[in-house]
Amino acid sequence: SVILGFWANTCRFGVHCRLIVLPELLSEFALGFQHLFSCCHSFHCTMSVVFGRHTALMRQAARASSRKWSQRQVRYAATNNFLKYLESEVAAMKESGTYKKERVITSPQASEVTVQGGSEPVLNFCANNYLGLSNHPALIEAAQKALSTHGFGLSSVRFICGTQDLHKQLEAEISKFHGTEDTILFPSCFDANAGIFEACLGPEDAVISDSLNHASIIDGIRLCKAQRYRYEHIDMNHLEDILKECVEKGTRHRMIVTDGVFSMDGDIAPLKEICDLADKYDAQVFVDECHATGFLGKTGRGTPELCGVEGRIDIINSTLGKALGGATGGYTTGPKEVIDLMRNKARPYLFSNTLAPSVAGASLEVFRMLSQGSDLVQKLQDNVKQFRTQMKAAGFTLSGHDSCPIVPVMLGDARLASELADSLLKRGIYVIGFSYPVVPKGKARIRVQMSAAHSTEQVQRCIDAFIEEGKAKGILK
């Protein structure tokens, strides 16, 4: 029905349409052809249908089309069939347990939140609020001050009339934090990833991406014209094989692309090995630091600091929307030449509104706080150690690096992950089950995310709830 509906719309433009129908599909197409013959008659165009020896069915359909169908009726039939198809897709997701339901929070983001329909606050262990800054009083004050002095919005892209002193100050602070030459702000890191590869790479170049990179990286790479390669997840032997191939083919530039922290698995890219290979094969290194900036490494400088490769990463993309306050905004930071090019060629930068002044003002306060000390980083690491150690001892299968605050509790079955998350919510623990297509089939999990805002007692309460529900559902013996 969907095929015939779209075909009918093609006919109305006066195009001669020719459709070959297999004999085994004739009965299914018969009713639709009544509509199509009427459609072609109404729009004064021609259509030929090849039925093989089954010309009788064609004549029958033509006779049945004596009642003329209006353009609106044909359009409605096609649209209705399309929506029915989408409805069946949603029904299949509900049946398989992969359908995503949104819980509504009625309080500010924090370690403890209230959820619509719930009578008591719940502990939030599924936010990217790694440093606990999303509702920090100092950030709220800074945002309110910027709102008062610089307004609500700018109604413009940066290069027309959307650049304020706050934006330039923030770009300078980010560059200082990462030890880079320059920075460019985007509405989100998704936009930063969408803009960089198309701007910097051409058909003569090669982009080599980890197989588990974030969807925004994948989409960004799809937009560029470079030769695309994918290496097995953190497999340095495979990466080297691809680099050798690219050199032998004479590619102009080679860019290795990886997440610093892989958000669904909690593992960390082996940046030292990647940088060594980049040096050996004259490649650039790009790292997405969204789930690392502000809290990984001794001072929160992310995976380059954790892996001891500061100064060896060519380009860093990251976000203001996770550990750094959790509002919105992303950025690319690196060599001045890269940033200059992106200001003139990165389409999400050129065609998207500038970052809101209140977000820029609050983000400046975040970097001021990070420069004063790393107490929040240490508190987060203490919470991570407490949770990972006790959950492993209880018998749960955990994924990821021991220092990573992203702690996937591996369950395998999508329905089990969803049901366990629901049961934990009833115990006052807010977590979310992840399943296909967010993660591979058979790899469903609950992703627990620790925060510096969690107290030791709150972390212990989460552990105890997991153990009790794990035993009740047969996950633990």
Side-chain angles (χ1 to χ4, degrees), residues 276-349:
D276 289 344
L277 287 173
D279 291 343
K280 184 177 179 180
Y281 294 97
D282 190 22
Q284 307 296 305
V285 178
F286 167 98
V287 181
D288 182 310
E289 283 284 272
C290 285
H291 289 273
T293 299
F295 60 92
L296 273 190
K298 186 177 180 180
T299 65
R301 263 64 178 180
T303 54
E305 181 180 40
L306 183 70
C307 298
V309 293
E310 288 182 288
R312 298 182 66 189
I313 306 301
D314 298 288
I315 303 170
I316 292 173
N317 274 14
S318 195
T319 182
L320 304 172
K322 292 181 171 59
L324 306 182
T328 187
Y331 58 85
T332 296
T333 190
K336 187 179 185 299
E337 294 83 357
V338 172
I339 305 307
D340 282 346
L341 182 69
M342 293 186 70
R343 289 194 194 280
N344 289 276
K345 288 189 66 177
R347 294 169 71 84
Y349 180 82

Side-chain angles (χ1 to χ4, degrees), residues 6-18 35-49 65 71 74:
F6 282 114
W7 195 36
N9 278 323
T10 304
C11 292
R12 69 188 178 93
F13 293 108
V15 179
H16 176 82
C17 302
R18 191 167 189 263
H35 303 173
L36 284 172
F37 277 107
S38 297
C39 173
C40 292
H41 178 76
S42 299
F43 298 129
H44 308 288
C45 60
T46 59
M47 173 181 68
S48 63
V49 188
S65 67
Q71 180 178 354
V74 173

Side-chain angles (χ1 to χ4, degrees), residues 96-114:
S96 65
T98 61
Y99 183 77
K100 315 295 185 295
K101 296 179 181 178
E102 296 179 355
R103 295 171 182 165
V104 180
I105 296 175
T106 57
S107 67
Q109 185 66 277
S111 62
E112 189 175 72
V113 297
T114 57

Side-chain angles (χ1 to χ4, degrees), residues 28-70:
E28 298 181 25
F29 274 75
L31 180 61
F33 278 118
Q34 296 179 20
H35 303 173
L36 284 172
F37 277 107
S38 297
C39 173
C40 292
H41 178 76
S42 299
F43 298 129
H44 308 288
C45 60
T46 59
M47 173 181 68
S48 63
V49 188
V50 179
F51 286 89
R53 293 170 297 160
H54 300 268
T55 54
L57 183 57
M58 183 174 68
R59 295 193 190 98
Q60 179 183 350
R63 288 194 298 271
S65 67
S66 56
R67 181 173 63 89
K68 292 184 179 180
W69 284 59
S70 68

Side-chain angles (χ1 to χ4, degrees), residues 66-328:
S66 56
R67 181 173 63 89
K68 292 184 179 180
W69 284 59
S70 68
Q71 180 178 354
R72 184 176 180 180
Q73 287 174 313
V74 173
R75 176 66 177 166
Y76 174 79
T79 302
N80 191 47
N81 288 333
F82 176 64
L83 296 180
K84 284 182 177 179
Y85 163 73
L86 298 184
E87 185 179 29
S88 69
E89 288 289 293
V90 172
M93 287 189 283
K94 290 180 177 179
E95 178 65 26
S96 65
T98 61
Y99 183 77
K100 315 295 185 295
K101 296 179 181 178
E102 296 179 355
R103 295 171 182 165
V104 180
I105 296 175
T106 57
S107 67
Q109 185 66 277
S111 62
E112 189 175 72
V113 297
T114 57
V115 179
Q116 192 174 76
S119 57
E120 298 291 335
V122 296
L123 298 180
N124 189 354
F125 283 90
C126 59
N128 300 317
N129 188 22
Y130 300 111
L131 294 178
L133 298 178
S134 295
N135 193 37
H136 196 284
L139 270 65
I140 294 174
E141 183 181 351
Q144 290 173 338
K145 180 179 178 181
L147 191 65
S148 176
T149 59
H150 288 71
F152 176 68
L154 286 162
S155 304
S156 175
V157 298
R158 285 284 297 271
F159 79 93
I160 298 179
C161 58
T163 298
Q164 292 178 320
D165 54 349
L166 288 176
H167 298 106
K168 301 306 291 184
Q169 292 168 23
L170 179 55
E171 288 170 340
E173 283 299 315
I174 293 171
S175 299
K176 180 180 177 182
F177 180 79
H178 286 286
T180 52
E181 293 179 356
D182 202 358
T183 297
I184 178 174
L185 292 170
F186 286 87
S188 70
C189 190
F190 203 113
D191 287 320
N193 286 342
I196 186 165
F197 305 111
E198 183 182 23
C200 296
L201 300 174
E204 307 89 352
D205 304 318
V207 57
I208 310 163
S209 177
D210 188 289
S211 61
L212 292 188
N213 276 340
H214 190 267
S216 61
I217 296 176
I218 295 170
D219 286 357
I221 290 173
R222 285 172 176 166
L223 293 173
C224 80
K225 296 180 180 180
Q227 301 167 45
R228 288 170 267 177
Y229 298 86
R230 187 174 65 173
Y231 63 94
E232 295 300 323
H233 181 49
I234 61 176
D235 186 335
M236 296 298 97
N237 291 327
H238 191 205
L239 173 58
E240 183 167 17
D241 290 342
I242 294 174
L243 285 166
K244 287 179 181 177
E245 179 184 344
C246 291
V247 170
E248 291 171 357
K249 290 177 64 176
T251 53
R252 181 180 59 181
H253 303 301
R254 293 160 289 283
M255 183 179 289
I256 303 169
V257 177
T258 183
D259 277 315
V261 173
F262 294 86
S263 61
M264 283 296 128
D265 297 272
D267 48 6
I268 295 173
L271 292 187
K272 185 180 184 305
E273 291 84 350
I274 288 175
C275 288
D276 289 344
L277 287 173
D279 291 343
K280 184 177 179 180
Y281 294 97
D282 190 22
Q284 307 296 305
V285 178
F286 167 98
V287 181
D288 182 310
E289 283 284 272
C290 285
H291 289 273
T293 299
F295 60 92
L296 273 190
K298 186 177 180 180
T299 65
R301 263 64 178 180
T303 54
E305 181 180 40
L306 183 70
C307 298
V309 293
E310 288 182 288
R312 298 182 66 189
I313 306 301
D314 298 288
I315 303 170
I316 292 173
N317 274 14
S318 195
T319 182
L320 304 172
K322 292 181 171 59
L324 306 182
T328 187

